[in-house]
Amino acid sequence: PELFTIKKKKKMDKLGGFIRIGPFEYIHILDRNANIRRMETGPANFVLHDHEEVVEGPNKMVHLKPLEYCVIENPVFREEGRPISTYFGEVKLRHGKKELRRVEDYPDPFPLYPGEILEGGKKKYVTVAPMQALHLKAIEDFNDESYTVRRNAGDQWLEFGPQTYKPRLEEELVKVVDAVVVKEGFALKIRAVNDMTDESGVKRKAGQEWMHRKLGAYIPSVDEQIASIIRDHVLTPIKAIHLKATQNYTDQFGKQRKAGEEWLVTEDMTKIYSRDVQEQLVSEVKAITLSNREYCVVQNYVDPTTRQNHWGEKLLKKGELTFFLQPGEEIVGGIKASMILEEDDAVLLQAKRDFQDEEGVKHKAGETWMIYGPKQYIPPTTVIVKEIRKRIPLSKQEGIYVQDKKTGEVRLVSGKTYLLKSTERLWEKEVSKEVEKLLEEQYLGVGYVSGGFQHDRPKRKYQRNKTRAITMTVPHNSAVQLFDYKTKKARIVFGPELLMLQPNEEFSVLKYSGGVPKEEGKLSSLFLPLGPDYMTDLFVAETSDHAKMNLRLAYCWHFKVDPAHPELLFNVPDFIGDACKTLSSRIRGAVSKVGFEDFHKHSHDIIQNSSFKKNAHGIYQPLVFKHNGLTITAVDTRELSTVDEATRDSLKKSVNLSIDITARAAEAQAQHQSDLLHQLTEERARGTGLRIRLRLKSKELSFSNQKLILLQSGPWEMQLPGQKLKLKLLRLKGKEKLQKLSMRYRLCRQAKIPTWRFLRRGIKLKLNKSAKRMK
């Protein structure tokens, strides 16, 4: 044990020896001859005999300090404080008994005789505080001198503090009980463990519960148990408590409550409420506040007079209002804002049962009517809000389909702002999947839909509102046919135009042949192009000498529209396939009457003669299909090739030879023209040079004559001063040289001599020098 430890000395020899026993120590010696044990205490030097043996020790004596005690098991019998020994000299023990030794009775250390056992070591007294108590239980029957009470085994009681508890062998400490302080606003819920009488003198049965509200410290007795600490509820205008009765009783307000009954306690009843043991707190309820534009519907509402729930019924509560939901009540759909109807708004209502509204109008169950704005409207519980409708602004290019629910008639509304009536609804117009796809392609900017061709679609998405009128932009120079299944009449719309589909009208889907060669049903479209345009076809024709050729032809076409009968345009659903078949049949017949060589040389004339007829002036007339007005104005040969490989090779050689001959002839003619041009150029240059030399000679002769005339002039000229004569001679010489150079320059320009660029520069330099000299 922790409080009592024995320091063991070195063991001596069992057959003999010498041992020292210190102060407050003891040893147990076994006499093997007599087979008895005895105790020796110190301080002493003990000599062991041969027949003696130390069986325990040396051990420290038991020393009790203040407020300590111990329990000795198998204590010795004492007489006048001394142990009693037997005839053989061994101490006599009380086997199976216990002895409690306190410090008051054993202030000095004491040894343990052979056979005595220290149970649990040394222990301290239990100190009980002022707000504590000890829960004690009797182990055996005894007389309690402190209270002069006879205690029976199993009895329990409390020892209240403050005190120092001195234990007894006849009782045991169960636990230390702390007092619970009851503060302001709190209460203790006490439960009886056994049948008892409480501190107020009220008899309680086992399991009974009651409330202890007295302020201060409270220590429950051994027959009581604190079930819980209950806090008082502070009630406010927005806070209440929901209670439930666990048994029949009368509440604090003097009202009889039945088991299972539920109710609310609000601030109007009391500011602070302390629950009874018969009441169970279900929840704390917060008040619901409605503004002047809010409302809610309470289901299973409580009648304020009878305080009973009207199960399955509803009550409308409008703001401004603050209220608590009573037990069993619930809000359907939460708190809702009142409907603010603008001038263009209306709400469609339907009556659940017969009732009379606030304006005094009686409505029958199932009746529908409209409430128009502007106003603030809160629907009563007797109506169903079907929908809130708005006026739909529609331009001349927009429309909606409206159906009368009474007659079933559907009409188109367009070009105005429209608000549906109570007996009307928006009608969804369904079209076939093919038409839906064509409308989508037309919206995305694709004119035709082909099964084998994928268009590059824009990223924008197409989603048609089925209640909106179907509109379509008819392209320029095209026509669309609409059929009204109600009147059994067709309507033709010519582009450019924006058409709007009536409720009973449907599009006439046109199927065209497409591809090269033409395949039936390749293209689908909602409109008929009126042209002019080209269509290309590829087919095989066979000549009279059985040479097969592939002909790729392009036909220029357009429609002639009869204003009186425009429906004739749609007599032939596939005008492309019909026209291509007719023309290819004619051309095959014409080709089959001529040979390959003849057709190869005159293919254009043969195709034109087979396709068109000439008038009296020899001009080809257009081919007109009378049943739909289709007009073919021209046939263009795009490609002409043979099907047979041998024929194709011979035709290729013939064409190559013809091309070679034509190229050589053109080359010889070009060489001849080049030689003639070179010869003429040389002769012209030679004549021009001779003419220039002759002119120069004539000018020199003219200058010499002038000089001679000047020298032959009279003697008076010679008599002039020398300076005047010299100046005149220089002027005449410069003028003559200037005329000569100018003449050479003009002749070179006229002769187009190749070196005239260089001559022009030299002549200009000379002219400038001559001018300077003259100046």
Side-chain angles (χ1 to χ4, degrees):
E2 301 159 357
L3 301 179
F4 180 72
T5 58
I6 299 175
K7 184 178 179 182
K8 292 185 179 181
K9 299 293 184 179
K10 184 178 178 182
K11 287 188 178 181
M12 304 303 295
D13 203 5
K14 292 183 179 180
L15 299 179
F18 177 80
I19 183 171
R20 290 186 178 89
I21 304 173
F24 302 109
E25 291 184 348
Y26 67 94
I27 61 174
H28 290 173
I29 299 172
L30 174 63
D31 188 346
R32 289 184 293 177
N33 291 337
N35 198 21
I36 62 173
R37 295 185 182 186
R38 72 176 188 276
M39 181 187 68
E40 296 291 338
T41 61
N45 293 324
F46 185 76
V47 178
L48 288 175
H49 298 284
D50 294 338
H51 62 278
E52 293 178 340
E53 178 185 359
V54 177
V55 294
E56 185 176 351
N59 291 337
K60 289 286 187 180
M61 294 182 183
V62 179
H63 183 201
L64 296 177
K65 297 178 181 180
L67 300 179
E68 286 186 346
Y69 70 97
C70 66
V71 177
I72 304 299
E73 189 176 355
N74 304 325
V76 299
F77 281 98
R78 293 179 181 274
E79 185 176 351
E80 295 181 359
R82 294 181 180 182
I84 300 174
S85 301
T86 62
Y87 173 77
F88 301 101
E90 187 177 18
V91 293
K92 190 175 181 180
L93 301 177
R94 293 184 292 170
H95 293 283
K97 299 294 182 176
K98 294 182 181 180
E99 181 183 352
L100 191 144
R101 298 179 182 179
R102 302 184 179 93
V103 66
E104 294 86 357
D105 301 329
Y106 294 88
D108 298 327
F110 60 89
L112 294 179
Y113 288 92
E116 288 184 335
I117 301 174
L118 180 63
E119 186 184 74
K122 296 184 292 184
K123 301 177 182 177
K124 286 190 175 183
Y125 291 156
V126 178
T127 302
V128 185
M131 296 180 64
Q132 287 182 336
L134 298 181
H135 184 180
L136 302 178
K137 182 178 180 181
I139 301 174
E140 57 186 36
D141 300 342
F142 72 99
N143 292 321
D144 191 349
E145 296 86 0
S146 302
Y147 300 95
T148 63
V149 177
R150 176 68 179 177
R151 305 287 186 185
N152 297 323
D155 289 349
Q156 298 181 22
W157 68 96
L158 293 179
E159 290 284 349
F160 296 92
Q163 65 168 315
T164 299
Y165 171 68
K166 296 180 180 180
R168 303 178 57 158
L169 292 176
E170 297 84 1
E171 62 189 22
E172 66 175 354
L173 177 63
V174 178
K175 62 180 178 180
V176 178
V177 181
D178 293 323
V180 178
V181 179
V182 181
K183 299 180 181 179
E184 185 74 29
F186 291 87
L188 298 180
K189 185 177 182 180
I190 310 298
R191 182 184 297 116
V193 180
N194 302 309
D195 294 346
M196 57 162 293
T197 302
D198 62 10
E199 61 179 3
S200 301
V202 181
K203 292 184 178 181
R204 306 287 184 182
K205 292 184 179 181
Q208 185 179 353
E209 296 178 346
W210 67 96
M211 301 297 293
H212 178 80
R213 296 186 176 88
K214 185 178 179 180
L215 301 180
Y218 179 78
I219 299 177
S221 67
V222 294
D223 297 321
E224 294 176 348
Q225 179 183 1
I226 299 178
S228 61
I229 300 175
I230 298 177
R231 186 171 187 172
D232 294 346
H233 298 277
V234 179
L235 305 179
T236 64
I238 60 172
K239 180 182 176 182
I241 55 174
H242 180 188
L243 301 179
K244 181 179 180 180
T246 57
Q247 59 188 20
N248 298 338
Y249 81 107
T250 302
D251 64 7
Q252 301 175 16
F253 306 104
K255 188 171 183 179
Q256 292 289 333
R257 301 290 183 184
K258 295 182 180 181
E261 183 181 351
E262 298 181 13
W263 69 97
L264 287 185
V265 179
T266 61
E267 187 196 25
D268 299 337
M269 301 168 68
T270 180
K271 299 291 184 180
I272 299 177
Y273 187 78
S274 179
R275 288 185 285 128
D276 288 333
V277 293
Q278 298 87 357
E279 298 171 351
Q280 178 185 351
L281 178 64
V282 178
S283 64
E284 291 186 352
V285 181
K286 292 186 178 180
I288 298 174
T289 302
L290 301 177
S291 66
N292 58 353
R293 291 191 178 184
E294 292 180 335
Y295 72 97
C296 67
V297 178
V298 179
Q299 190 172 13
N300 307 327
Y301 69 92
V302 175
D303 191 341
T305 304
T306 62
R307 307 303 300 176
Q308 298 295 325
N309 290 85
H310 290 261
W311 300 103
E313 297 186 11
K314 297 179 180 179
L315 178 65
L316 178 67
K317 290 184 178 290
K318 302 179 183 179
E320 299 177 354
L321 179 65
T322 299
F323 66 97
F324 293 98
L325 280 179
Q326 297 295 327
E329 292 182 343
E330 59 179 347
I331 296 179
V332 180
I335 299 175
K336 302 177 182 178
S338 59
M339 299 180 183
I340 307 298
L341 302 179
E342 299 179 358
E343 186 178 0
D344 295 335
D345 296 344
V347 58
L348 178 63
L349 304 176
Q350 183 179 15
K352 295 181 181 179
R353 60 175 182 268
D354 297 347
F355 78 101
Q356 184 176 354
D357 60 15
E358 297 176 351
E359 298 177 357
V361 181
K362 294 183 179 180
H363 299 281
K364 294 183 178 181
E367 180 184 352
T368 58
W369 70 98
M370 302 276 285
I371 300 295
Y372 297 92
K375 69 181 301 185
Q376 180 180 351
Y377 180 72
I378 297 177
T381 59
T382 54
V383 302
I384 301 174
V385 179
K386 304 294 288 185
E387 62 176 329
I388 298 177
R389 294 180 174 179
K390 289 183 174 289
R391 294 184 184 273
I392 305 173
L394 302 171
S395 65
K396 294 182 180 180
Q397 291 80 23
E398 295 177 318
I400 55 174
Y401 298 114
V402 179
Q403 184 182 30
D404 193 325
K405 292 187 289 186
K406 292 184 177 180
T407 62
E409 182 181 355
V410 182
R411 59 192 178 92
L412 176 65
V413 179
S414 177
K416 62 180 180 179
T417 301
Y418 189 76
L419 179 63
L420 293 175
K421 299 178 182 178
S422 61
T423 57
E424 294 178 340
R425 66 177 180 181
L426 292 175
W427 181 73
E428 294 184 354
K429 182 172 178 59
E430 300 288 344
V431 295
S432 63
K433 293 182 179 180
E434 186 176 15
V435 174
E436 196 78 58
K437 188 174 182 181
L438 290 171
L439 289 175
E440 179 182 0
E441 297 295 335
Q442 197 265 352
Y443 172 79
L444 298 176
V446 181
Y448 296 94
V449 176
S450 174
F453 180 74
Q454 297 295 330
H455 302 288
D456 294 333
R457 296 173 177 267
K459 293 183 179 179
R460 55 180 180 174
K461 294 183 178 180
Y462 171 79
Q463 184 66 35
R464 184 175 72 89
N465 186 355
K466 296 183 179 180
T467 60
R468 288 279 179 168
I470 298 176
T471 59
M472 178 182 174
T473 304
V474 183
H476 175 70
N477 207 18
S478 59
V480 175
Q481 184 183 37
L482 305 174
F483 187 78
D484 193 332
Y485 285 91
K486 186 175 181 180
T487 59
K488 304 297 181 182
K489 292 182 180 180
R491 179 164 65 102
I492 309 298
V493 180
F494 292 93
E497 183 66 41
L498 179 68
L499 65 85
M500 191 175 299
L501 208 63
Q502 294 294 327
N504 299 313
E505 287 183 337
E506 295 292 340
F507 286 102
S508 295
V509 181
L510 305 176
K511 298 283 187 178
Y512 301 139
S513 297
V516 180
K518 289 293 182 284
E519 297 180 15
E520 293 184 0
K522 191 70 174 178
L523 302 177
S524 299
S525 179
L526 295 177
F527 60 88
L528 175 71
L530 301 180
D533 202 350
Y534 278 92
M535 54 184 173
T536 304
D537 191 17
L538 175 65
F539 59 91
V540 179
E542 186 176 357
T543 60
S544 59
D545 51 1
H546 305 290
K548 293 182 179 181
M549 292 175 294
N550 289 325
L551 299 180
R552 183 188 291 268
L553 305 179
Y555 310 114
C556 182
W557 58 272
H558 68 274
F559 279 97
K560 289 185 177 180
V561 182
D562 186 1
H565 302 282
E567 66 276 1
L568 295 178
L569 296 172
F570 297 89
N571 281 348
V572 180
D574 185 8
F575 73 93
I576 296 177
D578 183 67
C580 289
K581 289 178 182 178
T582 302
L583 290 171
S584 63
S585 176
R586 290 188 177 189
I587 294 171
R588 285 194 191 96
V591 172
S592 63
K593 297 178 182 179
V594 298
F596 174 75
E597 294 293 338
D598 190 13
F599 177 74
H600 185 67
K601 294 178 181 180
H602 309 92
S603 59
H604 177 72
D605 296 336
I606 294 172
I607 293 173
Q608 294 294 328
N609 291 332
S610 61
S611 302
F612 306 106
K613 294 182 180 180
K614 293 182 178 181
N615 58 9
H617 301 286
I619 301 174
Y620 290 111
Q621 297 297 314
L623 175 62
V624 180
F625 293 87
K626 296 182 179 180
H627 43 272
N628 62 346
L630 178 64
T631 303
I632 307 297
T633 58
V635 179
D636 181 22
T637 303
R638 296 289 179 87
E639 183 181 354
L640 178 62
S641 61
T642 58
V643 178
D644 187 14
E645 185 176 355
T647 307
R648 189 185 301 112
D649 293 340
S650 68
L651 180 62
K652 186 176 181 181
K653 292 179 181 179
S654 176
V655 172
N656 290 339
L657 182 60
S658 176
I659 292 173
D660 190 21
I661 293 172
T662 304
R664 289 181 180 179
E667 184 179 357
Q669 185 177 0
Q671 184 66 30
H672 179 65
Q673 291 179 356
S674 178
D675 294 342
L676 289 177
L677 181 61
H678 183 67
Q679 186 177 359
L680 289 174
T681 302
E682 289 182 351
E683 291 295 334
R684 184 181 298 171
R686 192 179 295 112
T688 302
L690 182 59
R691 191 163 48 253
I692 290 172
R693 285 194 297 271
L694 291 175
R695 289 180 180 178
L696 291 175
K697 289 293 185 182
S698 62
K699 288 296 182 179
E700 290 178 358
L701 292 176
S702 175
F703 178 73
S704 299
N705 291 333
Q706 291 178 4
K707 186 176 181 182
L708 180 61
I709 291 171
L710 181 62
L711 294 175
Q712 292 176 356
S713 59
W716 64 274
E717 287 286 348
M718 298 298 296
Q719 295 176 5
L720 290 175
Q723 189 69 23
K724 188 177 180 180
L725 179 60
K726 188 177 180 179
L727 180 61
K728 190 174 182 178
L729 290 175
L730 287 174
R731 184 179 296 141
L732 290 175
K733 187 183 292 184
K735 187 176 181 180
E736 182 182 1
K737 197 168 185 178
L738 180 62
Q739 290 178 356
K740 185 188 296 183
L741 293 175
S742 298
M743 180 63 68
R744 289 179 61 187
Y745 178 71
R746 284 195 297 272
L747 291 176
C748 290
R749 287 288 301 273
Q750 291 176 2
K752 298 181 180 180
I753 299 174
T755 57
W756 69 273
R757 294 177 184 270
F758 304 96
L759 294 175
R760 182 179 63 179
R761 183 181 180 188
I763 292 170
K764 282 186 176 181
L765 292 173
K766 293 179 180 179
L767 288 174
N768 292 336
K769 291 180 179 180
S770 302
K772 288 180 180 179
R773 291 176 65 185
M774 286 182 64
K775 197 171 182 180

